[in-house]
Amino acid sequence: MARSFSRMWLPLILLLLVIPLVVSTFYISVLNNIGMFALATLGVVLLTGIAGMTSFGQAAFVGLSAYTTAALIAPSTLNLGAMMGAPWLALAAGLALTLLFALVLGLLTLRLQGHYLPLGTIAWGMALYSLFGTIESLGGHSGVPDLPPLRIFGLTFGDGPRMFYLIWGCVLLAIVLIRNLLESRLGRAIRALRGGQEMAASMGVDVFRTKMIVFLIAAALAGLSGWLYAYTQRFVSPGPFGVQAGIDYLFMALLGGIGSLWGAVIGSAAVVLMREWLQDWLPALLGHGGNYESIVFGLLIVLVMHRWPGGIWQGVARRLKLRQHGHMRLPQTGAAVEPLPRRPRPKPRERILDVRDVTRRFGGLVANRQMSLRVDAGEIVAVIGPNGAGKSTLFNLVSGVDVPDEGDVLFRGHRINGRTPRELAARGLSRTFQHVKLLPEMTVLENAAIGAHLRGHKGVFASALHLDGEDEARLLAEARRQLERVGLGEHLERTAGSLALGQQRILEIARALCADPCLLLLDEPAAGLRHKEKQALAELLRKLRSEGVAVLLVEHDMDFVMGLVDRVIVMEFGQRIAEGRPEEVQRDPAVLKAYLGGVEE
């Protein structure tokens, strides 16, 4: 049985309490450096490893906070912190300025895709490095010396055991808060950013806002590290904050384990210790004539990454059988949890979806031409047609992924052309995808709970401080209920990637149902399902129909469609060629021609 994550904390805290009592002053300084690196690297792990956004600017954020602190407390500069005796002033100013610059950089780059964020952070790092080196009042490239030591409540911290406890207390606190955050509704949205942004937006996640939150948290961690750096080193210069230093932080995250919070600590320790030892050993072995340290250091990193592609922490976790993936507070079976509120049910036969003469062109290709359809409450409508008929384009127009060139899409009487998938999710439209879009390393329960994202309300601070218990319990209870409803109740703690394809499609339906939709869009839901699974799915859809939910599905399995739906719409070359009850459509000559290539006279 996997060991509990919490069993690591007691021995770890005891170890950190004892270390300053048994090691030399030199190694206390080394461990202080590891802790400061680990704080900033935690931001890289959260930003790059978990949220999937590559940044080379972490060192620049550390430098901005360190220089702000130095400017406020150094005798040769403003000396405000020293005069006021308030290190908290320097911390608040450093964090505020760091977050302000991160906000501006995020607004400029986070809406863009691909390489813009990494390029933006590289440019940001180069600009700040040059700025630090050219401001004469901050010492230029010589830096700001003679910073006073940190004094809190009359205690002087210096760079010894007291600073060790402060630094590592900050590291452990940061790990706890980030881990709490990742266990929450917002944490699931953050983890969905890596490879699941389209799905997350369709479930109601504000993707840009979530990116910005992660970016600001990473910057705040760097800012805290910079504040500690200024007081520990008592000297600040541009060298440790350039682009190369930003690459080093990314290196530490990769080496320790880019997707693990503990990987930040292990990677920082590995890099710092390897450099210290190589600086001691290599001159004695190879002489002082060459820059052998960088060569050997690079080779060692390549060897470690070859042995453990997921980082050192992955290898350690596998050996100790520690849980590596999934952050979940599993709801107890039968626990008394107040159910989530549901949206008002549509009136019988209420027009839910009305597509009017929609046309969508891609250059010279007309994917949909004056396409119309309607779906009422308590009705199941199927859209069928050969490959390339325009069914997926139609789905994208209805779900907000794309915008029609002509015509209107009305949802419950309101025109939704140009509305985002998130806005439509809030109005009660939920969907699955032709190609399954799950987060394979997250559990089945967590994947389903993403669908209920808009039904929760707790934010960053409540999640990080674990003040979201009631909200989270209700979301997970709803996810459990829907999973049990679709027959996946026995697989809550399994990772979604370990399910068979048919089960993954059923999981997508459970996730969509967690949103409490009044219109459910299903893109080939029966693909990959066995016969009994198709029967169970059909029974579920009939039950949803009886509850007033409107269902629009695209499907190639004609046996499944014809025995289930109320109406069938047939498309060919982007146009509707037939519509009617299943038995009528099956006899339509135009349909037979589209599928069979002609009709015998």
Side-chain angles (χ1 to χ4, degrees), residues 216-528:
L216 292 176
I217 292 173
L221 291 169
L224 178 59
S225 178
W227 179 74
L228 291 168
Y229 178 91
Y231 276 111
T232 303
Q233 302 298 324
R234 299 171 63 184
F235 171 76
V236 175
S237 66
F241 311 123
V243 175
Q244 180 58 51
I247 296 173
D248 288 345
Y249 281 115
L250 196 57
F251 237 174
M252 292 175 189
L254 286 168
L255 189 61
I258 192 68
S260 165
L261 301 182
W262 290 111
V265 178
I266 292 176
S268 301
V271 170
V272 172
L273 291 175
M274 276 198 290
R275 281 181 172 163
E276 289 289 342
W277 294 336
L278 289 174
Q279 287 173 357
D280 292 339
W281 297 342
L282 289 181
L285 294 174
L286 303 175
H288 298 272
N291 188 16
Y292 298 111
E293 177 193 334
S294 297
I295 298 173
V296 175
F297 182 70
L299 289 174
L300 286 173
I301 287 182
V302 170
L303 289 174
V304 171
M305 295 301 294
H306 177 74
R307 179 67 179 84
W308 292 311
I312 297 173
W313 173 249
Q314 184 185 74
V316 172
R318 286 179 177 175
R319 180 66 60 88
L320 298 179
K321 298 182 180 179
L322 298 174
R323 181 181 183 140
Q324 300 177 65
H325 304 299
H327 304 265
M328 176 177 59
R329 287 173 264 175
L330 191 68
Q332 297 180 356
T333 304
V337 177
E338 183 181 352
L340 292 171
R342 300 189 64 184
R343 70 179 76 250
R345 295 293 91 188
K347 298 177 182 178
R349 311 309 300 175
E350 176 186 337
R351 183 62 47 83
I352 301 297
L353 178 67
D354 194 357
V355 179
R356 299 178 179 176
D357 297 323
V358 162
T359 297
R360 182 67 174 105
R361 301 181 183 89
F362 297 95
L365 174 66
V366 181
N368 284 164
R369 185 190 301 276
Q370 295 185 323
M371 184 65 196
S372 298
L373 64 83
R374 59 177 175 78
V375 186
D376 295 337
E379 186 178 31
I380 303 177
V381 176
V383 178
I384 67 173
N387 290 331
K391 304 184 298 296
S392 295
T393 301
L394 178 65
F395 246 49
N396 289 337
L397 296 175
V398 171
S399 60
V401 175
D402 203 356
V403 181
D405 297 309
E406 299 173 12
D408 292 317
V409 180
L410 282 75
F411 180 56
R412 303 195 74 175
H414 298 280
R415 185 174 181 270
I416 60 172
N417 296 37
R419 297 291 184 181
T420 64
R422 179 177 182 272
E423 291 174 306
L424 298 184
R427 295 186 180 205
L429 187 153
S430 195
R431 66 168 298 183
T432 65
F433 297 87
Q434 180 180 6
H435 304 290
V436 174
K437 294 184 184 296
L438 297 173
L439 301 171
E441 294 182 348
M442 286 172 57
T443 63
V444 169
L445 183 66
E446 290 173 303
N447 270 274
I450 291 174
H453 181 82
L454 285 173
R455 304 174 74 183
H457 306 287
K458 297 298 183 180
V460 178
F461 296 105
S463 299
L465 296 174
H466 256 186
L467 300 177
D468 61 338
E470 181 180 353
D471 195 57
E472 185 70 4
R474 296 170 75 187
L475 294 175
L476 294 179
E478 175 68 11
R480 178 197 282 273
R481 185 176 76 86
Q482 298 297 348
L483 287 167
E484 291 174 345
R485 188 180 190 186
V486 300
L488 293 177
E490 298 179 356
H491 305 287
L492 302 183
E493 294 188 75
R494 288 181 61 182
T495 56
S498 68
L499 297 179
L501 176 60
Q503 292 175 312
Q504 291 181 359
R505 290 195 177 278
I506 295 297
L507 173 55
E508 277 205 320
I509 294 173
R511 182 182 64 199
L513 292 176
C514 284
D516 188 27
C518 57
L519 173 61
L520 187 60
L521 305 182
L522 302 179
D523 202 342
E524 300 188 22

Side-chain angles (χ1 to χ4, degrees), residues 188-220:
R188 289 187 289 273
I190 290 172
R191 286 180 283 155
L193 294 177
R194 186 181 179 89
Q197 292 186 27
E198 181 183 355
M199 175 275 295
S202 295
M203 296 298 111
V205 174
D206 188 334
V207 171
F208 175 74
R209 179 178 177 273
T210 306
K211 286 183 176 181
M212 184 63 77
I213 288 172
V214 176
F215 197 57
L216 292 176
I217 292 173

